[in-house]
């Protein structure tokens, strides 16, 4: 059990969020009550993690609700200070976290530090500085003529208990995008990390726990059964990052209860290389954007559309850069492309690559499994694949991409907008104004000009999708406002009746008609008609001022 600072909410004991057995012995994968954690690098067993019994999830949710009342009662400044403590603990354990991401996720140390540990410090800093302003009482400006002797304001209250279901590809940084703003807003969180990253989930929970009421962040370990139990618990909102299929299932499960849902789903992201692009930068950016984290990134470049004037030279540079990429079990400590998270994910990528090869598509890089142990897969890239193949239509989530020559900018935009996903895209050009014009024609949530695949780490910029890429937002104030309930309060010190109150008689109709003529007239006619409109008021005032008794 994670020890926490004393608080009233800790009087109810709670079970340890995760029981972990570390063992080098062969695992029994038939066990239904544990998660067997295997190294993506060599397939060895790292640990067995006890699954949270499905029967206990509802109780964890109830305890989180109890803790939430205490947490929400704290001043925002106090919640911020505790989050700063958590941030400092994150920094202190940063190298330890990176080592765990390397073991459990197969990442290189460079990838673990630059994509998860370091950007997350910026995330903590942003929210600790910005959240108090976003959560402060907001004054609503009221027109004194239409609404005399009145003032209004909005207070923001926490939703309550937010269900958080997160993936394995960035298992520490993605959860923070919801955990940190949700907690600062005063919520509790029922969190199920991926079954492929339970050890990372446990460490993140340990980093948060000492400064929170016990049970406020309830950790649920397991697979689909536990995920369903989390969604079916007595929750007030959902933040989910994962596949479109699971996102649709969650949307259906929550629709009947009218529970708000934020869905950050998949992508099939296009890069458009225009004929005036800096091809050195474009080729470097595309290869990195496609292969970073082994392509296991919803923002990864999957499809490249190159205007024909630049195609031959771009392909030449891509081939050269692919030849320099380091991957596989013999690549040493400083590899570029990590192994895939699981044998199942490797099989999925291999199926798309093998289909392209079977169709006779020319390969810029052939791909293929590397080594006997682990889930290493060499980068694959294909030229002119057409539109029928799964590697073009479906999310790959692996180190594979396609390069297609198009006639012009218009065709590139059209092809980029095809398909069911609408998460992100990139445009490569020396003309930034042209790049911006193209960006505005792309039906996606994020467009980068002369860069790619990194903006989710910009905490004050929204990250959202369209169509099968989901809806809702992570990052920026827009994400926070999905985790609170606004309450508008109006104060009125007017002592008389409002002109629209009863009785609904001739005086009201006459006044309303006069106001309609006045409001729809031109400026000069307004001035001329103002005296006539004002003459209608006394009759209405008399009508609403008659004593009742």
């Amino acid at each position: 059990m994670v020890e926490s600072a004393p608080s009233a909410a800790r009087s109810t004991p709670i079970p340890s969020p995760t029981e972990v057995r570390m063992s080098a012995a062969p695992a029994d994968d038939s066990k239904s009550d544990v998660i067997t954690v295997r190294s993506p690098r060599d397939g060895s067993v790292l640990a067995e993690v006890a699954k949270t019994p499905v029967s206990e999830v509802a109780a964890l949710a109830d305890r989180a609700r109890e803790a939430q009342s205490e947490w929400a009662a704290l001043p925002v400044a106090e919640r911020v200070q505790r989050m700063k403590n958590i941030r400092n603990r994150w920094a202190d354990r940063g190298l330890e976290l990176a080592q765990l991401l390397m073991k459990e996720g197969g990442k290189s140390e460079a990838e673990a530090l630059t994509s998860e540990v370091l950007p997350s410090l910026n995330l903590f800093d942003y929210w600790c500085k910005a959240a108090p302003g976003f959560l402060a009482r907001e004054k609503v400006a009221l027109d004194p003529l239409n609404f005399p002797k009145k003032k209004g304001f909005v207070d923001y209250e926490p939703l309550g208990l937010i269900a958080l279901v997160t993936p394995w590809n960035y298992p520490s940084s993605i959860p923070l995008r919801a955990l940190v703003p949700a907690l600062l807003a005063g919520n509790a969180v029922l969190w199920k990390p991926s079954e492929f990253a339970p050890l990372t989930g446990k460490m993140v929970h340990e980093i948060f726990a000492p400064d929170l009421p016990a049970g406020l962040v309830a950790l649920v370990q397991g697979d689909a059964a536990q995920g369903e139990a989390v969604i079916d618990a007595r929750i007030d909102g959902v933040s989910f990052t994962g596949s479109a299929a699971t996102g649709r299932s969650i949307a259906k499960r929550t629709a009947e209860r009218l529970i708000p849902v934020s869905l950050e789903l998949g992508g099939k992201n296009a890069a458009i290389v225009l004929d005036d692009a800096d091809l050195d930068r474009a080729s470097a950016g595309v290869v990195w954007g496609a292969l970073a984290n082994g392509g296991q990134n919803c923002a990864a470049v999957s499809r490249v559309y190159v205007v024909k004037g630049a195609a031959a030279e771009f392909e030449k540079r891509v081939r050269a850069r692919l030849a320099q990429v380091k991957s596989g079990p013999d690549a040493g400590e400083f590899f570029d492309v990590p192994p895939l998270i699981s044998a199942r994910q490797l099989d999925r990528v291999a199926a798309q690559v093998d289909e392209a090869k079977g169709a006779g598509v020319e390969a810029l890089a052939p791909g293929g499994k590397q080594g006997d142990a682990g889930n290493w897969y060499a980068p694959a890239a294909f030229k002119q694949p057409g539109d029928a193949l799964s590697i073009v239509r479906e999310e790959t989530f692996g180190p594979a991409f396609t390069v297609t020559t198009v006639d012009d900018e218009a065709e590139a935009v059209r092809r980029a907008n095809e398909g069911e996903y609408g998460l992100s895209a990139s445009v490569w050009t020396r003309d930034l104004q042209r790049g911006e014009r193209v960006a505005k024609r792309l039906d996606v949530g994020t467009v980068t000009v002369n860069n790619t695949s990194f903006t989710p780490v910009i905490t004050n910029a929204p990250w959202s999708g369209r169509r099968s890429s989901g809806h809702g937002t992570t990052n920026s104030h827009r994400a926070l406002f999905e985790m609170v309930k606004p309450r508008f309060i109006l104060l009125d010190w007017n002592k008389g009746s409002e002109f629209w109150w009863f009785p609904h008689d001739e005086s009201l109709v006459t006044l309303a008609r006069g106001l309609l003529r006045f409001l729809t007239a031109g400026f000069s006619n307004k001035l001329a008609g103002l005296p006539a409109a004002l003459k209608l008021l006394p009759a209405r005032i008399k009508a609403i001022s008659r004593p009742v008794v």
Side-chain angles (χ1 to χ4, degrees):
M1 180 174 178
V2 177
E3 294 298 327
S4 304
S7 77
R10 297 187 177 96
S11 59
T12 303
I14 63 172
S16 173
T18 308
E19 292 182 13
V20 180
R21 295 189 292 275
M22 311 299 290
S23 174
D28 181 359
D29 289 334
S30 67
K31 295 179 181 178
S32 61
D33 61 343
V34 299
I35 302 168
T36 301
V37 184
R38 294 185 178 275
S39 166
R41 299 191 184 198
D42 59 17
S44 62
V45 175
L46 300 176
E48 288 185 339
V49 178
K51 293 181 181 178
T52 304
V54 169
S55 61
E56 293 182 5
V57 173
L60 289 172
D62 289 342
R63 293 188 185 106
R65 282 189 172 279
E66 294 174 7
Q68 189 267 333
S69 297
E70 173 193 343
W71 179 249
L74 294 175
V76 174
E78 174 62 21
R79 298 201 293 265
V80 166
Q81 183 55 55
R82 297 197 187 190
M83 194 61 67
K84 289 180 178 179
N85 296 342
I86 295 168
R87 182 261 189 214
N88 292 337
R89 203 153 42 245
W90 183 280
D92 291 342
R93 299 187 67 179
L95 291 179
E96 180 187 356
L97 177 58
Q99 291 294 316
L100 179 57
L101 293 166
M102 293 162 65
K103 292 178 182 178
E104 186 176 49
K107 298 175 186 284
S108 67
E109 184 174 9
E111 182 81 44
L113 289 170
T114 60
S115 69
E116 301 222 43
V117 176
L118 291 172
S120 295
L121 293 174
N122 292 332
L123 181 146
F124 279 110
D125 292 341
Y126 168 78
W127 282 116
C128 286
K129 181 178 180 180
F134 295 150
L135 296 170
R137 171 172 285 186
E138 179 183 342
K139 183 179 179 181
V140 177
L142 299 176
D143 182 348
L145 294 177
N146 288 323
F147 309 108
K149 298 184 179 181
K150 298 170 180 59
K151 67 179 180 180
F153 50 84
V154 178
D155 289 331
Y156 294 101
E157 298 182 345
L159 275 182
L161 176 60
I162 295 177
L164 176 61
V165 181
T166 55
W168 44 261
N169 56 328
Y170 294 99
S172 70
S173 60
I174 286 179
L176 293 196
R177 296 176 201 165
L179 268 174
V180 174
L183 291 171
L184 286 172
N187 294 290
V189 178
L190 186 64
W191 175 30
K192 194 202 88 66
S194 169
E195 61 269 34
F196 291 103
L199 301 178
T200 302
K202 177 179 179 292
M203 179 177 285
V204 172
H205 187 270
E206 290 174 350
I207 291 172
F208 272 75
D211 281 275
L212 304 177
L216 184 71
V217 176
L219 186 66
V220 177
Q221 299 279 25
D223 47 30
Q226 283 75 16
E228 290 177 359
V230 165
I231 300 303
D232 292 340
R234 194 162 60 95
I235 56 175
D236 302 297
V238 177
S239 176
F240 170 76
T241 302
S243 71
T246 304
R248 289 189 181 95
S249 176
I250 289 173
K252 290 178 182 178
R253 294 182 90 93
T254 54
E256 290 186 358
R257 293 182 286 163
L258 297 178
I259 293 174
V261 180
S262 177
L263 302 174
E264 200 268 273
L265 308 178
K268 195 68 181 173
N269 310 294
I272 294 176
V273 181
L274 298 176
D275 49 9
D276 66 342
D278 178 337
L279 297 182
D280 279 335
R281 181 173 177 84
S283 60
V286 162
V287 169
W288 175 83
L291 305 182
N293 203 40
Q296 299 168 119
N297 178 6
C298 59
V301 174
S302 296
R303 302 172 292 148
V304 185
Y305 297 105
V306 190
V307 174
K308 59 185 178 183
E313 201 58 40
F314 177 77
E315 290 169 9
K316 177 182 176 182
R317 284 168 166 77
V318 167
R319 285 181 189 270
R321 293 190 182 281
L322 286 171
Q324 296 173 357
V325 169
K326 303 185 294 294
S327 66
D330 299 325
E333 178 183 358
F334 299 105
F335 55 84
D336 297 315
V337 180
L340 296 169
I341 191 66
S342 66
R344 183 177 66 185
Q345 189 63 25
L346 187 149
D347 290 343
R348 174 178 177 167
V349 175
Q352 291 191 4
V353 170
D354 291 346
E355 181 191 32
K357 290 179 180 178
V361 180
E362 179 182 350
L364 301 175
K369 190 176 187 313
Q370 297 175 296
D372 295 327
N375 307 316
W376 298 91
Y377 197 86
F382 293 94
K383 175 182 176 182
Q384 302 299 115
D387 294 328
L389 298 176
S390 59
I391 200 169
V392 178
R393 295 181 293 102
E394 300 174 8
E395 189 174 30
T396 303
F397 232 63
F401 64 102
T402 61
V403 179
T404 300
T405 302
V406 295
D407 287 335
D408 52 27
E409 174 187 307
E411 183 185 358
V413 170
R414 177 180 62 78
R415 300 282 288 273
N417 282 335
E418 290 175 345
E420 63 175 306
Y421 295 104
L423 188 58
S424 70
S426 60
V427 182
W428 303 83
T429 173
R430 284 187 170 91
D431 184 341
L432 292 182
Q433 290 183 333
R434 183 186 184 190
E436 185 177 357
R437 289 195 302 270
V438 173
K440 290 179 179 179
R441 295 160 60 194
L442 294 171
D443 188 18
V444 296
T446 296
V447 184
T448 53
V449 179
N450 296 329
N451 216 317
T452 187
S453 309
F454 82 101
T455 59
V457 305
I458 304 177
T459 312
N460 58 331
W463 179 250
S464 62
R466 303 177 183 184
R467 305 189 302 284
S468 291
S469 292
H471 57 74
T473 303
T474 58
N475 290 343
S476 83
H477 62 282
R478 295 167 182 84
L480 184 70
F481 290 148
E482 294 183 10
M483 300 175 178
V484 294
K485 298 177 288 190
R487 174 186 284 123
F488 175 66
I489 297 177
L490 182 135
L491 302 178
D492 193 332
W493 58 95
N494 191 354
K495 298 187 181 301
S497 297
E498 303 291 352
F499 82 86
W500 58 85
W501 290 2
F502 294 152
H504 286 180
D505 57 10
E506 184 178 0
S507 69
L508 176 57
V509 173
T510 301
L511 176 60
R513 288 176 177 175
L515 289 173
L516 181 60
R517 288 192 299 270
F518 173 75
L519 293 173
T520 55
F523 179 73
S524 59
N525 289 333
K526 271 188 171 68
L527 290 177
L530 182 59
L534 293 176
K535 286 181 181 180
L536 300 174
L537 284 173
R540 183 57 188 164
I541 293 172
K542 182 177 180 181
I544 60 178
S545 299
R546 293 193 185 108
V548 178
V549 293

